[in-house]
Amino acid sequence: MFIFPSLLGGCYLVLIVLLWLLGTNYDNNLILGLSYLFISVFLISIFHSFLNLQSLKVSVRDPAPFIVGENVAIQVQFKKAHKRAHQNIKIRWNTSKQPYFSNNDTKDTYVQWDEKADTVQAKSVSINLSALYRGKFQLPRLAISSTYPFGLIRCWCELNLDAWALVYPAPINADVLKELQVESNEQDVSENSLGQGQSLEFQDLQRYETGAPLSKIAWKQYARTGTLMVKNFEGSTANSWVVSWYDYPNVELERKLQYLCYQALSLYNQQQAFAFILPNLKLQTHHSKQHLHKVLHALALYQNDS
């Protein structure tokens, strides 16, 4: 922790020096005693400022993945080790040494314990943060400071947190989607999709939703139960989509990843199964949330060595 006089504390010291000079010059013991009293208050505030931050425990969990430019609230937990109350503690992200993030908070964030609330040991505070680039990055340092108790002394520290954030590319609509038509009796697909030898394999039944193709409805199940169910196949489906790196041959890297991110999110929101292709990765056709996370994870870390 670092301790240094604040702006008010600097003015306070100048006042002490002037009072001491005035008392010495006129041999006035009352003014000299007042200057000594002010010095005592200044020294006492140094110890109180230090003790206000001492033994305060800080922890941060890895935030959920988010998108470039999205302003997310990251939960920071503060826990006191003793019954001592902590007052007027200011916290913020120090992004000056971490160019991957931006701190958009215009208001200061504070955390404190009431003097009588000794039973409350931990407090959680949300601090906003946004990312400027995709990838997996360590969170910036957390700056913690306090001018308690009189505003004369500023005590601060910067914590290097062991927490990481996964940042997805910002989706951009390219208006390009290529549909891969697959007949139910086909045993392979084109080389630009998922390779060869892939066939349909029945997985389970799902409740019918508006817009589902009639060819996938389980009519026998409907005849027995009266409930419309849809057949779900693993692998190539009767009407699937391909989100492929090779759809944009003349687009620069980051923009291409943004296009692919938009395609994946759009198809998932439409509850459409899709395959995914990168030069170093091929994922089979699926429509689950886990499949989407795999796709976005691959886009975030593609050729990213951070």
Side-chain angles (χ1 to χ4, degrees), residues 194-210:
L194 299 179
Q196 298 180 350
Q198 182 177 338
S199 59
L200 295 173
E201 181 180 348
F202 176 76
Q203 187 176 9
D204 56 15
L205 291 175
Q206 297 181 351
R207 185 174 294 275
Y208 173 82
E209 295 182 3
T210 304

Side-chain angles (χ1 to χ4, degrees), residues 24-89:
T24 302
N25 184 51
Y26 290 100
D27 196 19
N28 190 316
N29 292 331
L30 182 60
I31 297 179
L32 287 174
L34 184 62
S35 64
Y36 296 150
L37 175 63
F38 284 176
I39 292 176
S40 301
V41 172
F42 185 83
L43 294 177
I44 291 174
S45 65
I46 294 177
F47 293 99
H48 279 278
S49 181
F50 173 79
L51 294 175
N52 190 47
L53 295 184
Q54 185 190 29
S55 302
L56 186 64
K57 297 181 179 181
V58 184
S59 61
V60 179
R61 292 184 178 180
D62 292 346
F66 56 95
I67 296 174
V68 171
E70 181 182 3
N71 202 23
V72 297
I74 298 179
Q75 293 291 328
V76 182
Q77 186 180 65
F78 294 85
K79 185 176 181 181
K80 60 180 182 177
H82 306 291
K83 292 185 177 182
R84 183 191 310 118
H86 301 273
Q87 302 291 332
N88 194 35
I89 298 176

Side-chain angles (χ1 to χ4, degrees), residues 81-122:
H82 306 291
K83 292 185 177 182
R84 183 191 310 118
H86 301 273
Q87 302 291 332
N88 194 35
I89 298 176
K90 178 182 175 182
I91 53 177
R92 64 178 179 84
W93 297 114
N94 184 5
T95 57
S96 60
K97 298 180 180 180
Q98 175 60 287
Y100 306 110
F101 294 99
S102 174
N103 186 3
N104 297 326
D105 271 343
T106 57
K107 297 182 179 180
D108 295 333
T109 303
Y110 291 90
V111 58
Q112 65 180 16
W113 278 263
D114 295 332
E115 292 288 348
K116 297 181 180 179
D118 292 340
T119 58
V120 180
Q121 295 296 323

Side-chain angles (χ1 to χ4, degrees), residues 184-196:
S184 60
N185 59 352
E186 270 190 342
Q187 297 299 318
D188 57 355
V189 294
S190 63
E191 183 178 356
N192 285 338
S193 60
L194 299 179
Q196 298 180 350

Side-chain angles (χ1 to χ4, degrees), residues 11-277:
C11 298
Y12 187 81
L13 288 176
V14 173
L15 175 61
I16 291 175
V17 172
L18 292 177
L19 288 175
W20 184 82
L21 290 176
L22 184 63
T24 302
N25 184 51
Y26 290 100
D27 196 19
N28 190 316
N29 292 331
L30 182 60
I31 297 179
L32 287 174
L34 184 62
S35 64
Y36 296 150
L37 175 63
F38 284 176
I39 292 176
S40 301
V41 172
F42 185 83
L43 294 177
I44 291 174
S45 65
I46 294 177
F47 293 99
H48 279 278
S49 181
F50 173 79
L51 294 175
N52 190 47
L53 295 184
Q54 185 190 29
S55 302
L56 186 64
K57 297 181 179 181
V58 184
S59 61
V60 179
R61 292 184 178 180
D62 292 346
F66 56 95
I67 296 174
V68 171
E70 181 182 3
N71 202 23
V72 297
I74 298 179
Q75 293 291 328
V76 182
Q77 186 180 65
F78 294 85
K79 185 176 181 181
K80 60 180 182 177
H82 306 291
K83 292 185 177 182
R84 183 191 310 118
H86 301 273
Q87 302 291 332
N88 194 35
I89 298 176
K90 178 182 175 182
I91 53 177
R92 64 178 179 84
W93 297 114
N94 184 5
T95 57
S96 60
K97 298 180 180 180
Q98 175 60 287
Y100 306 110
F101 294 99
S102 174
N103 186 3
N104 297 326
D105 271 343
T106 57
K107 297 182 179 180
D108 295 333
T109 303
Y110 291 90
V111 58
Q112 65 180 16
W113 278 263
D114 295 332
E115 292 288 348
K116 297 181 180 179
D118 292 340
T119 58
V120 180
Q121 295 296 323
K123 288 182 178 290
S124 294
V125 180
S126 297
I127 314 178
N128 291 333
L129 185 69
S130 62
L132 303 177
Y133 305 95
R134 67 173 179 88
K136 187 175 182 180
F137 309 110
Q138 187 176 11
L139 291 183
R141 291 185 175 183
L142 184 65
I144 304 175
S145 62
S146 177
T147 58
Y148 179 84
F150 305 121
L152 303 177
I153 297 295
R154 179 174 178 264
C155 182
W156 78 96
C157 65
E158 291 189 358
L159 299 182
N160 193 16
L161 303 171
D162 187 19
W164 296 75
L166 181 63
V167 185
Y168 299 149
I172 295 181
N173 187 6
D175 293 327
V176 176
L177 280 176
K178 294 186 177 180
E179 185 174 5
L180 176 63
Q181 300 291 344
V182 181
E183 299 296 336
S184 60
N185 59 352
E186 270 190 342
Q187 297 299 318
D188 57 355
V189 294
S190 63
E191 183 178 356
N192 285 338
S193 60
L194 299 179
Q196 298 180 350
Q198 182 177 338
S199 59
L200 295 173
E201 181 180 348
F202 176 76
Q203 187 176 9
D204 56 15
L205 291 175
Q206 297 181 351
R207 185 174 294 275
Y208 173 82
E209 295 182 3
T210 304
L214 297 178
S215 59
K216 297 176 64 178
I217 295 178
W219 295 109
K220 293 182 179 180
Q221 181 74 12
Y222 175 71
R224 289 196 303 267
T225 64
T227 302
L228 282 177
M229 304 294 290
V230 177
K231 297 178 182 178
N232 183 29
F233 293 92
E234 182 73 20
S236 298
T237 60
N239 191 17
S240 61
W241 300 81
V242 177
V243 178
S244 176
W245 169 273
Y246 302 103
D247 289 342
Y248 309 98
N250 299 319
V251 180
E252 60 95 13
L253 173 62
E254 294 301 326
R255 182 55 59 92
K256 185 182 297 188
L257 295 175
Q258 291 174 324
Y259 288 163
L260 296 176
C261 182
Y262 177 86
Q263 289 186 16
L265 291 173
S266 178
L267 289 172
Y268 175 77
N269 292 333
Q270 298 172 19
Q271 298 183 351
Q272 297 289 335
F274 65 94
F276 179 71
I277 302 175

